[in-house]
Amino acid sequence: MRFMPSGKSSFVVITGLLMVLFIYKFAISAGPANGFDLSNSTLPVEQILHGGPPRDGIPALSDPKLINAAQATYLQPTDRIVGIELHGEARAYPIAILNWHEIVNDEIDGERFAITYCPLCGTAVAFEASIDGEATDFGVSGLLYNSD
């Protein structure tokens, strides 16, 4: 009786097992809070769950390269974007890109902000990205509350 396939399929099975062990190691080592101190949370801590990726396992996009709308030939008129207008300057962040990064750290006229997008619920929020007057970059926590 054979338990392991031979040849190419053996490589696929072993690679798959290694990937599962790698993901499991991150999930266990980060703990349920993914390395965050949740003791001051205003949400019920028992309802904040590990979402799978480790902290910053989905890389935020910081200071993105900007192009004008005419150069964005990869977009269709029906493609969704998240837009922001600040100090008279407008920017658009395609959902197709936000699906991969979930957070954009950017700046307009010296004012730092973060755009966050949740592909699970399809919502976006813009935040001033300054804490106590200091510009801050935000990252993906890997945590979920109400599946978002």
Side-chain angles (χ1 to χ4, degrees):
M1 176 179 256
R2 292 177 64 186
F3 290 103
M4 287 295 290
S6 61
K8 247 185 202 180
S9 53
S10 173
F11 174 77
V12 170
V13 168
I14 291 171
T15 303
L17 287 171
L18 289 173
M19 287 176 61
V20 167
L21 289 172
F22 181 74
I23 292 168
Y24 180 76
K25 177 202 176 294
F26 271 113
I28 295 301
S29 66
N34 231 6
F36 289 94
D37 175 6
L38 301 177
S39 62
N40 235 359
S41 176
T42 57
L43 300 171
V45 174
E46 65 278 359
Q47 293 179 25
I48 300 172
L49 305 173
H50 193 283
R55 181 180 190 160
D56 294 318
I58 299 170
L61 186 58
S62 292
D63 303 311
K65 178 183 179 224
L66 303 175
I67 60 173
N68 66 40
Q71 293 174 300
T73 56
Y74 58 90
L75 292 175
Q76 301 300 311
T78 55
D79 286 348
R80 297 180 314 139
I81 57 101
V82 173
I84 187 171
E85 187 270 328
L86 188 61
H87 304 294
E89 186 173 334
R91 301 238 174 117
Y93 303 92
I95 296 294
I97 293 172
L98 291 171
N99 276 327
W100 290 99
H101 293 281
E102 297 187 8
I103 296 179
V104 177
N105 295 293
D106 205 352
E107 184 177 308
I108 292 177
D109 198 24
E111 190 169 339
R112 197 82 175 145
F113 61 91
I115 302 285
T116 65
Y117 176 73
C118 177
L120 299 175
C121 65
T123 59
V125 179
F127 295 95
E128 178 186 356
S130 181
I131 299 175
D132 295 328
E134 188 171 327
T136 304
D137 278 353
F138 289 82
V140 176
S141 69
L143 300 175
L144 298 174
Y145 174 72
N146 283 339
S147 297
D148 297 326

